[in-house]
Amino acid sequence: MNKEVVVIGGGIIGLCSAYYLHKEGHQVTVIDKSDITDGASFVNAGYITPSHIIPLAAPGMMAKGFKWMFNSSSPFYIKPQFNTDFFKWAWYFHKASNQKKVERAIPVIKDINLFSRDLFASIKASGDLGDFHFDRKGLLMLFKTDAAGEKEMRVAKKAGELGLEVDVLNHVQLKTFEPNCTINAKGAIHYGCDAHMTPTEFMPKMVSYLKNSGVLIKTNEEVTGVDLVNGKIQQVLTNKGSYRADEVVLAAGSWSGQFSKRLDIKLPLQAGKGYRINLERPTGITIPAILMEAKVAVTPMKGFTRFAGTMEFSGINSIVRKERVEAIAHAATDYYPNIEVNPVEMDKAQSGMRPVSPDGLPYIGKSNYIENLIFATGHAMMGWSLGPATGKLVSEIASDRKTSLPIDPFTPFRTF
């Protein structure tokens, strides 16, 4: 049965949900309070990362957060926040950061990332969006110290056991991989399973395709509430009108927790801010890399090279902290000595808010309390990577069909 579906949020998750819901034959409306030209879906590293099998909530991460709490230029920065929601989330994060839970999450993360990578490839092959940048050159994990290298070797061993493509490169082999730029690193792990894209190209093309296909996209319109009758949403209310809904998809990113609260649903979620610097000039970089010690991502995109990174928990805000931008710029030169980020490029840096669940797994699934509410949020640093997979799963849930992957690990009402 075709349904009227309202998607709250026009980021990569919301748009991919709309894409697959439309393919299922549903009438879809996407509502976003912005004009869908900025935010996390535009400033991310563009990675599709089956290699990222370790969730953010890993052993030792909370200790690092407290260690770096008073260093606002650190890769993982927690600004002290004295509110109940944050303390609960931090406690759940601590509980999730144990080896047993990480081991349980690893195959789940791998499978949904591989599924999503294949869906990205299918979208490209379909020609729906025309041509867009989608490259399978893998990902380099660059390390300068033996400690970082040994740590990543353990991840690489696990990835290899799971069937992912992994190679270990010394400094000489690294030069062969990237002959046109100088890299100051001891070696690297190359994950051939990964891919990368240019988000600022893909997002407008997806919006255009959806509009041309009959999907109603309402921008600069804010959802203010819902008309809830007997445990079912009848209408979604905005500052400009109302929309009838058979199903409602909550894909509002870092704002999903606030919206859930209005519905008396406690969704543990915190906004993790990331930053990006674009270099719109030749750099010689052709393969995406993560600068391990600095926790900075590097992506050769269409027409520019992007340096992105950091995880900052300081509430929902768009403040660009100069010291964090400078840390990314310093890391760029530290690993690529021939590249220096100039002041103009730093001044153009932007930030975006990622929705982070306590255990690093997204929330995908139906509400236990509201019959026709579907959650699609909490993806942390994997939002871009998991866009199509989440959208596909959402469309299957809304259509009352068997999902392509088991979704029990993603239930919004799991215990931590």
Side-chain angles (χ1 to χ4, degrees), residues 20 48 114-127 132 134 136 195 197 202 388:
Y20 288 106
I48 301 156
L114 286 174
F115 180 49
S116 206
R117 185 195 67 187
D118 292 345
L119 289 173
F120 266 123
S122 295
I123 293 172
K124 185 175 175 71
S126 73
F132 59 84
F134 174 83
R136 279 285 307 273
M197 301 173 63
F202 182 87

Side-chain angles (χ1 to χ4, degrees), residues 72-310:
S72 60
S73 64
S74 63
F76 184 68
Y77 172 55
I78 300 176
K79 181 182 178 181
Q81 300 171 58
F82 301 99
N83 65 75
T84 305
D85 289 342
F86 178 76
F87 284 128
K88 282 184 178 177
W89 179 90
W91 173 242
Y92 293 150
F93 186 97
H94 170 71
K95 287 175 66 180
S97 300
N98 67 70
Q99 197 58 41
K100 184 178 178 182
K101 290 189 176 181
V102 168
E103 291 295 330
R104 199 159 55 228
I106 284 173
V108 173
I109 294 172
K110 182 209 73 168
D111 289 346
I112 192 171
N113 269 284
L114 286 174
F115 180 49
S116 206
R117 185 195 67 187
D118 292 345
L119 289 173
F120 266 123
S122 295
I123 293 172
K124 185 175 175 71
S126 73
D128 286 344
L129 277 61
D131 190 30
F132 59 84
H133 176 218
F134 174 83
D135 218 332
R136 279 285 307 273
K137 291 185 177 180
L139 174 70
L140 292 168
M141 299 293 290
L142 298 175
F143 56 86
K144 297 165 77 68
T145 63
D146 289 334
E150 288 165 9
K151 181 180 179 182
E152 191 59 32
M153 294 284 188
R154 292 192 288 272
V155 177
K157 184 174 183 293
K158 175 67 73 173
E161 290 169 353
L162 290 170
L164 299 176
E165 307 147 62
V166 186
D167 290 300
V168 180
L169 308 176
N170 60 32
H171 182 74
V172 175
Q173 292 167 318
L174 190 54
K175 181 66 179 173
T176 304
F177 264 69
E178 281 285 41
N180 299 316
C181 63
T182 301
I183 299 178
N184 180 20
K186 206 163 197 175
I189 309 293
H190 180 244
Y191 292 98
C193 50
D194 288 14
H196 70 283
M197 301 173 63
T198 303
T200 50
E201 176 193 39
F202 182 87
M203 288 290 288
K205 289 194 172 190
M206 178 61 89
V207 169
S208 178
Y209 168 78
L210 293 173
K211 284 181 176 178
N212 292 335
S213 300
V215 172
L216 187 62
I217 296 188
K218 307 297 287 185
T219 56
N220 300 306
E221 188 164 344
E222 187 169 358
V223 174
T224 56
V226 299
D227 179 17
L228 189 63
V229 180
N230 297 324
K232 186 173 183 179
I233 297 171
Q234 303 296 319
Q235 294 185 96
V236 174
L237 312 176
T238 76
N239 59 344
K240 296 182 179 179
S242 61
Y243 301 87
R244 185 186 173 280
D246 296 311
E247 300 282 352
V248 177
V249 179
L250 180 56
S254 294
W255 290 264
S256 300
Q258 294 178 349
F259 187 80
S260 298
K261 215 170 187 180
R262 291 187 221 163
L263 303 176
D264 292 325
I265 295 173
K266 295 175 182 176
L267 189 73
L269 194 74
Q270 286 293 313
K273 190 192 296 180
Y275 294 78
R276 72 94 177 117
I277 302 172
N278 290 344
L279 271 58
E280 297 176 359
R281 52 188 166 94
T283 62
I285 298 170
T286 62
I287 302 176
I290 289 182
L291 317 180
M292 286 194 60
E293 290 85 353
K295 305 290 190 295
V296 169
V298 185
T299 316
M301 295 188 177
K302 192 171 182 179
F304 58 95
T305 301
R306 173 167 290 177
F307 289 84
T310 82

